[in-house]
Amino acid sequence: MTPTFPAMAAGYRNMWRDMTVTRAAECEAAARRILAGRARYQAVERQTGVPWFFIGLLHMRESSCNFAGVLHNGEHIIGKGTRTRLVPAGRGPFAAWEEAAIDALRLKGLHAIRDWPIERIGYESERFNGFGYIRRGVNSPYVWAGSNHYTRGKYVRDGVFDPAHVDTQLGTLPVLRALCRLDSTIAERVTGRPKPVPEIAVGTGAAGAVVAAGARSGWGALEWTFAIAAAAIAVAIAIALIRAWRRRKPADLPPIEVNETATAERAGAAEEGETA
């Protein structure tokens, strides 16, 4: 029976948290190859809704990010008028890599998934390759190779498992860790953390209240544009009022009332070190 996502989610989340990348330089190099293909992966995301960096991770595993290889299994059949022979067999023919990638993702139903936290990425990575490693009591190298969660054991061919074989490829999640470090937008999508509030100097009064309210509410770019404009108008009005006050004639000023008690109390505070 195929393991379900609810049953597996906590395991992927905990292993991601406890993961130590053991081949960091290789993971960074692989992550940079994925970033180099971002535009093509994003084109497929627009058609399927599957995160472009996840598509890149699958492509890394299946064909080392070579766009001659289909996303299904890495076979070099793009533009050749032939179909896949390996699992899944009989797919194609495909005129373009993007066409093949969309077919591979839809075949696995990945286009129907709306939320992609780290546990979903781990689960769908392993499901894409197959859950055979669970039956062998081995963490899937497809997901974990290049980290402390994998040592040995690999399906060297479809359905053929070698317990002593060490996978020299990298797993999707160690490379994802490198992607998160290189691109903060990927880290945000994976962790679900909100973008930091822009650091905007705010004043007091109505202008400051407007901007502060926006900061608390997590406004987007459009809201910030209106808020900053409103703040600027409020500041301009305040400056105009101050200038008008300073230009008043002496006759317009109210008489000064002296409260000797209050003046003495304020003077005493200043002597104790408080600013007057």
Side-chain angles (χ1 to χ4, degrees):
M1 187 174 70
T2 301
T4 65
F5 174 64
M8 301 279 286
Y12 291 111
R13 184 168 58 250
N14 293 337
M15 290 178 72
W16 168 264
R17 182 195 61 212
D18 298 334
M19 180 178 68
T20 300
V21 176
T22 56
R23 295 159 61 187
E26 294 173 72
C27 285
E28 180 169 334
R32 291 188 183 280
R33 287 196 298 273
I34 291 172
L35 291 172
R38 179 199 301 253
R40 299 189 73 171
Y41 301 139
Q42 286 178 328
V44 177
E45 178 177 4
R46 287 192 290 272
Q47 295 295 317
T48 63
V50 179
W52 68 267
F53 51 88
F54 177 73
I55 299 169
L57 290 167
L58 297 181
H59 193 211
M60 174 202 70
R61 280 295 310 192
E62 298 298 339
S63 66
S64 300
C65 297
N66 185 337
F67 286 96
V70 294
L71 192 62
H72 308 72
N73 54 30
E75 287 184 85
H76 289 200
I77 62 169
I78 301 295
K80 295 183 177 180
T82 58
R83 299 178 183 273
T84 56
R85 292 178 294 104
L86 303 176
V87 177
R91 309 303 297 183
F94 302 107
W97 180 86
E98 289 79 0
E99 177 190 358
I102 292 169
D103 180 76
L105 298 172
R106 290 184 176 275
L107 182 64
K108 291 287 187 176
L110 298 178
H111 64 292
I113 299 170
R114 293 293 172 261
D115 297 318
W116 287 90
I118 186 60
E119 50 266 41
R120 176 61 79 175
I121 292 172
Y123 177 83
E124 296 303 337
S125 292
E126 188 156 2
R127 188 170 74 89
F128 194 87
N129 180 243
F131 286 111
Y133 288 100
I134 292 178
R135 294 192 297 273
R136 301 286 181 173
V138 175
N139 289 331
S140 171
Y142 199 95
V143 183
W144 302 109
S147 79
N148 59 316
H149 294 317
Y150 173 76
T151 52
R152 64 178 57 83
K154 178 179 171 61
Y155 280 90
V156 292
R157 295 188 301 278
D158 288 343
V160 179
F161 180 76
D162 183 347
H165 190 95
V166 177
D167 196 339
T168 58
Q169 287 186 274
L170 296 167
T172 56
L173 292 194
V175 177
L176 178 59
R177 177 70 59 81
L179 280 169
C180 289
R181 188 175 63 254
L182 293 172
D183 189 326
S184 62
T185 63
I186 297 175
E188 179 189 331
R189 291 180 69 175
V190 169
T191 62
R193 294 172 184 166
K195 294 180 181 179
V197 175
E199 294 182 2
I200 299 177
V202 300
T204 58
V210 169
V211 178
R216 290 191 300 270
S217 302
W219 284 343
L222 183 61
E223 291 87 349
W224 276 112
T225 299
F226 283 116
I228 293 170
I233 293 171
V235 170
I237 293 173
I239 292 172
L241 291 174
I242 291 171
R243 287 175 177 173
W245 175 270
R246 289 176 176 174
R247 287 197 301 267
R248 290 195 311 163
K249 297 177 181 179
D252 297 332
L253 297 175
I256 298 176
E257 298 180 0
V258 177
N259 184 325
E260 295 181 358
T261 302
T263 303
E265 289 174 352
R266 186 62 187 168
E271 289 174 358
E272 294 172 358
E274 184 176 333
T275 303

